[in-house]
Amino acid sequence: LEDADAKPAVAAAAGTHIVLPGYYSPEGIGLLDINTSDGRFLFFLPWQGFTVVGTTDRKEPPESTPEAPEQEIQWLLHEAEKYLAKDLKVRRSDVLSAWQGYRPLASDPNAPPGAPVSRDHIISTNPDTGITFITGGKWTTYREMAEDVLNKVLPANGLAEKAGPCLTEHRPLRGGVGYTRNVPVQLVQEFGVSEDTAKHLARTYGMNAFDVCKLTRPTSKKWPRFGSVLIEGFPYLDCEVEYACKKEMNCSVTDFLTLRTRLAYLNKDAAIEAAPKVADLMAKAMGWSKRERNRQLGSALEALAEFGGPVPLKDSATISAHTISDLHALFETFDANQNGYIEFDEMQIMAAQLGAPFKSEASALKTWQKMDPQKKGRVKEDEFVEWWYNNKEQDVLRKKLSEQLCFSTEKLGKGAKSRGAMFG
């Protein structure tokens, strides 16, 4: 900002990560390979009940999307097989989530020519303006970064003696005061939540986990007695949505599914399934209108569609096509809860999973109004088939599915004359 013509102070190194089922790694034991097939480092670690495999050091311009290149996912799967028994094969369908991030590699624009790029953070002062800046580093060292930059700025401005030594190393994080390793046990005993949930809450909120548990409601089960989970198979509770909104300034469904919990990073499909419920809970906690609730859900589904999953993003619809033999099967694909109807949320979720997410709530509503012209709130199979044949290229979802599935209705036929789908 001080100099529009300043030399770049940071370069990007891309890193791709995939999450596999937890049975691929023993608890508490990780592996680092410093001699992979192309020379990059690779880590293979247990993480929140799953296995995370990742690498870094691919130099390229940064992007804001978490979409992971398919060739990187395939490379990680190939490398991961080297660490496993010969009778185990890591399948592409084992990838529960995949994403790409960028690490800032710092370079000091005021350093001598030929100085190396740093994997640590760099603090530098512009000799012309006296402005000190910091660049590089990583999330896990943010407190050290803050201390280092203050220790440079304060003496340079004659404030070191007045300020005294930096206290950040000894200052506990929010929820840290009074915390002990027995907090999970106390949560189970006092609130009747499951042990897995108690461990998750203690790890995530520290002593504030007690405040979260005070929001739990009876489960009507013998055990756990309190704390309904957001989605089966994960320790996250419904009441965490309310807590995040009222105590942690969470304002979006996307935020909750990606940052407040790690659901999107652990299991993309689980996050997509949980999204409508999170939208409903947030709407209640935040006082949203139905329109805002739908907008938030659509935005979250669009964000989740950028994560990798069991099916390659670019080929997801093509691969799914091999399992869709006719419009009946396509209808059943959309009918996620198998109640014989397609509902608005199901349409949005399956559109995203088939690689054709809606760009906006308005676009989703436009398709839904064509699918449900009588405004009943749900669509039967014959109505779905009628929508398919009557809209063709006029509807955005219909058009995308036709293009990506190479779905030919002329070759498909209708009703009893159906011979199955034709795919290119």
Side-chain angles (χ1 to χ4, degrees):
L1 295 178
E2 60 171 334
D3 182 2
D5 299 321
K7 299 176 182 178
V10 66
T16 298
H17 306 72
I18 61 174
V19 170
L20 304 173
Y23 52 69
Y24 279 117
S25 60
E27 186 176 353
I29 299 177
L31 179 149
L32 174 66
D33 187 351
I34 61 174
N35 188 29
T36 60
S37 60
D38 66 1
R40 289 184 288 172
F41 285 18
L42 182 142
F43 53 85
F44 194 98
L45 302 168
W47 182 48
Q48 297 197 23
F50 297 85
T51 302
V52 62
V53 183
T55 187
T56 58
D57 290 343
R58 195 179 74 257
K59 308 299 188 298
E60 64 179 49
E63 298 179 3
S64 59
T65 173
E67 182 176 339
E70 180 59 28
Q71 64 269 26
E72 285 289 286
I73 295 176
Q74 296 289 349
W75 183 83
L76 288 170
L77 292 172
H78 175 73
E79 294 291 324
E81 285 189 337
K82 299 177 182 179
Y83 319 127
L84 302 173
K86 298 298 183 182
D87 58 345
L88 282 180
K89 180 174 178 58
V90 187
R91 303 165 300 177
R92 179 60 181 82
S93 59
D94 287 333
V95 177
L96 304 175
S97 185
W99 70 94
Q100 177 175 255
Y102 291 86
R103 182 176 180 178
L105 301 180
S107 59
D108 186 351
N110 300 308
V117 174
S118 175
R119 299 185 180 283
D120 199 352
H121 57 274
I122 283 180
I123 302 169
S124 181
T125 301
N126 188 317
D128 298 325
T129 65
I131 292 178
T132 297
F133 67 90
I134 182 171
T135 187
K138 50 187 178 181
W139 290 118
T140 53
T141 62
Y142 75 96
R143 300 184 86 177
E144 180 186 0
M145 293 168 64
E147 180 175 359
D148 289 350
V149 75
L150 285 175
N151 287 342
K152 185 175 182 70
V153 170
L154 294 175
N157 291 274
L159 298 172
E161 185 174 343
K162 183 177 181 180
C166 182
L167 303 177
T168 187
E169 183 178 357
H170 307 288
R171 187 181 298 277
L173 295 173
R174 187 168 182 260
V177 177
Y179 182 85
T180 72
R181 64 182 182 179
N182 290 326
V183 166
V185 178
Q186 295 170 347
L187 295 174
V188 173
Q189 292 179 339
E190 184 173 344
F191 296 100
V193 297
S194 72
E195 187 175 347
D196 285 345
T197 289
K199 290 178 180 178
H200 151 65
L201 294 175
R203 182 175 60 243
T204 304
Y205 302 97
M207 293 300 289
N208 292 329
F210 289 90
D211 294 331
V212 177
C213 284
K214 290 176 183 177
L215 299 174
T216 59
R217 295 176 177 82
T219 62
S220 301
K221 300 177 181 178
K222 289 186 177 181
W223 190 260
R225 293 182 290 107
F226 285 83
S228 298
V229 294
L230 191 64
I231 183 171
E232 290 297 329
F234 296 86
Y236 310 121
L237 299 182
D238 289 358
C239 62
E240 289 183 70
V241 178
E242 179 183 356
Y243 184 84
C245 293
K246 295 183 176 179
K247 301 294 184 179
E248 296 186 336
M249 297 184 289
N250 178 64
C251 294
S252 73
V253 175
T254 302
D255 187 348
F256 186 84
L257 291 171
T258 57
L259 303 179
R260 309 310 169 116
T261 66
R262 288 290 183 264
L263 192 52
Y265 292 92
L266 293 171
N267 191 311
K268 171 186 177 178
D269 288 347
I272 290 175
E273 183 179 340
K277 188 174 184 181
V278 173
D280 290 338
L281 292 168
M282 286 192 69
K284 183 177 180 181
M286 305 283 281
W288 287 344
S289 65
K290 185 176 181 180
R291 180 182 181 85
E292 175 61 13
R293 178 263 184 200
N294 291 340
R295 187 193 70 80
Q296 285 274 351
L297 176 59
S299 178
L301 292 175
E302 187 173 346
L304 293 172
E306 295 184 342
F307 283 80
V311 176
L313 279 179
K314 297 301 182 185
D315 304 319
S316 59
T318 303
I319 292 176
S320 298
H322 294 296
T323 68
I324 299 175
S325 60
D326 53 21
L327 284 177
H328 170 71
L330 182 59
F331 174 82
E332 289 190 332
T333 301
F334 274 82
D335 181 18
N337 59 17
Q338 298 297 296
N339 64 354
Y341 299 93
I342 297 175
E343 298 171 359
F344 181 69
D345 290 347
E346 290 177 324
M347 182 192 71
Q348 288 185 287
I349 290 171
M350 291 312 303
Q353 289 186 338
L354 288 171
F358 292 101
K359 292 184 177 180
S360 65
E361 179 200 353
S363 179
L365 286 172
K366 188 174 181 179
T367 290
W368 180 250
Q369 289 165 359
K370 294 176 182 177
M371 203 178 288
D372 180 30
Q374 298 181 24
K375 300 181 179 180
K376 295 181 295 184
R378 56 185 186 177
V379 173
K380 296 187 296 183
E381 182 174 348
D382 58 342
E383 294 169 330
F384 175 78
V385 173
E386 184 177 355
W387 163 79
W388 180 271
Y389 281 99
N390 290 342
N391 285 279
K392 293 190 176 181
E393 301 301 305
Q394 288 77 28
D395 184 84
V396 60
L397 176 61
R398 168 68 167 80
K399 184 177 181 180
K400 285 184 177 180
L401 289 177
S402 293
E403 293 173 350
Q404 296 198 38
L405 296 178
C406 299
F407 212 132
S408 172
T409 55
E410 288 71 25
K411 296 177 182 179
L412 174 66
K414 294 180 66 173
K417 297 181 180 179
S418 174
R419 297 178 178 270
M422 180 66 68
F423 303 103

